Amino acid sequence: SAVISQKPSRDICQRGTSLTIQCQVDSQVTMMFWYRQQPGQSLTLIATANQGSEATYESGFVIDKFPISRPNLTFSTLTVSNMSPEDSSIYLCSAPRYPAGELFFGEGSRLTVL
Amino acid sequence: QKEVEQNSGPLSVPEGAIASLNCTYSDRGSQSFFWYRQYSGKSPELIMSIYSNGDKEDGRFTAQLNKASQYVSLLIRDSQPSDSATYLCAVSKGGADGLTFGKGTHLIIQP
């Protein structure tokens, strides 16, 4: 399985601030995916991050709120901008293992916005 | 709209019995199907993947897929208390698509 490292693992943030989550994969992957898991809920795909192009966002998620960078084939960042308490969630980075394309997940970043 | 439906549970099963988890999906273009296990406070862990109709067995786990009925299931034989977790069904159309997850079934194995 792919080894995916995320940081920070958790943080407590003030309303109106922004936080950047980093994700490092131990092998080169074309696509990386960012998910959100709100308390007691399942995973919702935020966006797909491709190296060398802009991220593709799912319905309900916009670049201004969740800007994503993908500078190389092993690294990505997700920024949660202008945070509100509704952004309190676990944010998960994932990457596929080829050739089957099964997704593996990082340990997640638990954000609490006060 | 892509939807994946699961019974949220909790599903309570005696230790040693067979736990049966079910999932239906709406997108007939779905090609890949996955079961993840998620312990409280942890990230999802891949248990099984299945891509063609029929059964796929791995140890105590069996995944079953019926594309005509748009139905995926996971059987856990000889259930153990350590199997107590939330089980997430996920589907994908493949290629550049990410996974669409169901809400998960909370499974409790009673000692």
Side-chain angles (χ1 to χ4, degrees):
Chain A
S1 63
V3 176
I4 303 173
S5 303
Q6 264 185 256
K7 58 180 180 181
S9 58
R10 58 178 65 234
D11 207 338
I12 299 174
C13 307
Q14 296 299 316
R15 181 194 300 260
T17 63
S18 299
L19 182 79
T20 296
I21 302 166
Q22 299 180 5
C23 179
Q24 179 77 49
V25 185
D26 68 343
S27 59
Q28 293 185 338
V29 292
T30 305
M31 295 176 290
M32 296 174 70
F33 301 91
W34 287 97
Y35 284 84
R36 180 176 73 181
Q37 187 171 31
Q38 294 177 303
Q41 302 298 313
S42 188
L43 282 74
T44 300
L45 181 63
I46 297 172
T48 302
N50 297 308
Q51 195 271 333
S53 64
E54 286 204 1
T56 302
Y57 290 83
E58 297 297 306
S59 176
F61 298 96
V62 295
I63 187 171
D64 289 347
K65 177 66 175 178
F66 297 101
I68 287 171
S69 76
R70 184 78 203 277
N72 59 52
L73 290 173
T74 63
F75 187 79
S76 179
T77 67
L78 170 76
T79 298
V80 186
S81 303
N82 188 25
M83 286 185 285
S84 67
E86 292 71 33
D87 294 320
S88 297
S89 287
I90 299 173
Y91 293 84
L92 293 149
C93 169
S94 67
R97 180 181 67 185
Y98 300 114
E102 301 144 332
L103 279 191
F104 292 87
F105 287 85
E107 291 301 309
S109 298
R110 182 183 295 270
L111 301 189
T112 301
V113 184
L114 303 178
Chain B
Q1 183 179 0
K2 294 180 279 189
E3 290 185 353
V4 179
E5 301 288 341
Q6 294 180 256
N7 188 323
S8 63
L11 174 64
S12 186
V13 174
E15 183 176 357
I18 296 175
S20 178
L21 305 166
N22 304 315
C23 170
T24 59
Y25 59 95
S26 63
D27 189 342
R28 285 197 171 274
S30 299
Q31 296 294 323
S32 307
F33 307 87
F34 306 90
W35 283 99
Y36 286 82
R37 177 175 62 198
Q38 187 173 29
Y39 293 114
S40 180
K42 300 294 186 182
S43 62
E45 172 192 11
L46 180 67
I47 297 177
M48 294 282 291
S49 57
I50 188 166
Y51 305 97
S52 55
N53 283 328
D55 295 0
K56 179 182 178 182
E57 185 175 322
D58 184 359
R60 295 187 296 113
F61 299 97
T62 299
Q64 299 174 317
L65 173 62
N66 184 325
K67 288 186 177 180
S69 300
Q70 296 175 246
Y71 178 87
V72 193
S73 66
L74 179 70
L75 301 177
I76 306 175
R77 290 182 298 281
D78 188 22
S79 297
Q80 303 297 310
S82 59
D83 295 326
S84 298
T86 297
Y87 288 80
L88 301 167
C89 174
V91 304
S92 171
K93 293 177 71 171
D97 260 27
L99 300 184
T100 300
F101 283 83
K103 294 186 183 300
T105 298
H106 183 204
L107 176 65
I108 299 172
I109 305 301
Q110 296 178 319

